[in-house]
Amino acid sequence: MKAHPWPVVAGLTVVLALGACGSPGDGGPPATQAVQAGPADSRWLPAPTTSWQWQLSGDLDLEVDADVFDVDYERTTRAEADTLKRDGRRLICYLSAGSWEDFRADAGAFPPAVLGDVLSGWPNEQWLDIRRLDVLLPIMAARMDTCVEKGFDAVEPDNVDGYLNATGFPLTAADQLAYNRAVAELAHFRGLSVALKNDVDQIPDLVDDFDFAINEECVRYAECDLYDPFTDAGKAVLHVEYQGSLGFCAETERRGLSSMLKPLDLGAVRRPC
């Protein structure tokens, strides 16, 4: 795999970093060169209210009746991706952009200095210092290259709200906006559409940078109205609840969300609205 450098985009011009930036606060921009990105209208975009499956554990069930499959970038094989694509499915590539996972093949690429506190409830994950764009963006770029090589259409970068959590780093809302936008540009540069995962407080600032949204439990936390900027813009919101029955469907259908009930382990079982 040949990973592209990470881009910072102005319009359709992508500035590729050819040098490292150092630690937060260091001066001096990296050497750059201009590269033309592909047109935005060439990217696949999920349609509002499209049916979707989200499976991150267990043997991948290729027979689920859904138009879109959101599956792990590393565990999903090229053969599985090819089968889904041949059956007319669209594929979203799941990866964690805001946390380090000790089971990933590239876990050793993260220097200890960027690893923070353990995520609550996830003992194999640690928050990342998202201020270190020089370290993290090339790693995320390489992961997205894997998504492209396997035939994915879009990417779901997870854990992109670290500034609201106990990460071990003094992250700010501005840090999060900068990182999330940079991650979105990595995807767009590769022709992938990109989902904003949760990070509900920054939706007004990020709706123009992301092509669709993925939400966990906006009904449970009374946050579904915060997705109006996405639905008002005609962008899909793929939504899941983990508790209760399908009684929430009336509300989410009225709001134009694509909803289902899933077990927390995100296995193959799903109950769509």
Side-chain angles (χ1 to χ4, degrees), residues 82-217:
D82 286 346
T83 297
L84 289 168
K85 297 282 281 189
R86 187 171 59 248
D87 291 341
R89 318 301 179 89
R90 293 290 190 166
L91 304 182
I92 301 171
C93 192
Y94 173 89
L95 57 88
S96 183
S99 72
W100 174 83
E101 300 158 304
D102 66 5
F103 53 86
R104 294 297 184 186
D106 62 2
F110 295 81
V114 304
L115 305 184
D117 291 346
V118 173
L119 275 68
S120 177
W122 303 96
N124 296 326
E125 293 190 53
Q126 292 173 248
W127 290 103
L128 292 171
D129 186 352
I130 59 170
R131 299 169 299 171
R132 292 299 306 271
L133 302 183
D134 60 314
V135 172
L136 299 183
L137 293 186
I139 296 172
M140 299 306 153
R143 290 180 172 187
M144 291 188 199
D145 287 338
T146 297
C147 299
V148 172
E149 290 172 1
K150 290 184 177 181
F152 283 86
D153 303 289
V155 63
E156 177 201 347
D158 199 4
N159 298 309
V160 292
D161 55 1
Y163 82 105
L164 293 175
N165 291 272
T167 64
F169 303 111
L171 303 180
T172 67
D175 294 329
Q176 195 70 64
L177 289 174
Y179 184 66
N180 290 2
R181 286 174 173 142
V183 168
E185 293 299 347
L186 288 179
H188 289 160
F189 181 71
R190 287 157 176 77
L192 298 167
S193 61
V194 59
L196 180 64
K197 175 71 171 292
N198 298 327
D199 195 20
V200 294
D201 292 341
Q202 294 189 324
I203 285 174
D205 296 305
L206 293 173
V207 63
D208 292 337
D209 299 285
F210 286 79
D211 303 296
F212 62 106
I214 294 177
N215 171 265
E216 295 172 289
E217 299 192 290

Side-chain angles (χ1 to χ4, degrees), residues 209-230:
D209 299 285
F210 286 79
D211 303 296
F212 62 106
I214 294 177
N215 171 265
E216 295 172 289
E217 299 192 290
C218 71
V219 172
R220 179 184 179 189
Y221 295 108
E223 296 176 336
C224 294
D225 61 313
L226 299 180
Y227 282 88
D228 287 351
F230 273 97

Side-chain angles (χ1 to χ4, degrees), residues 34-70:
V35 177
Q36 194 72 19
D41 59 7
S42 68
R43 296 192 298 271
W44 168 78
L45 301 175
T49 71
T50 192
S51 62
W52 73 299
Q53 163 68 321
W54 193 20
Q55 184 178 350
L56 301 181
S57 68
D59 293 334
L60 187 58
D61 185 348
L62 304 178
E63 304 300 323
V64 170
D65 185 16
D67 296 325
V68 177
F69 275 63
D70 186 342

Side-chain angles (χ1 to χ4, degrees), residues 15-30:
V15 180
L16 297 183
L18 302 180
C21 298
S23 59
D26 285 354

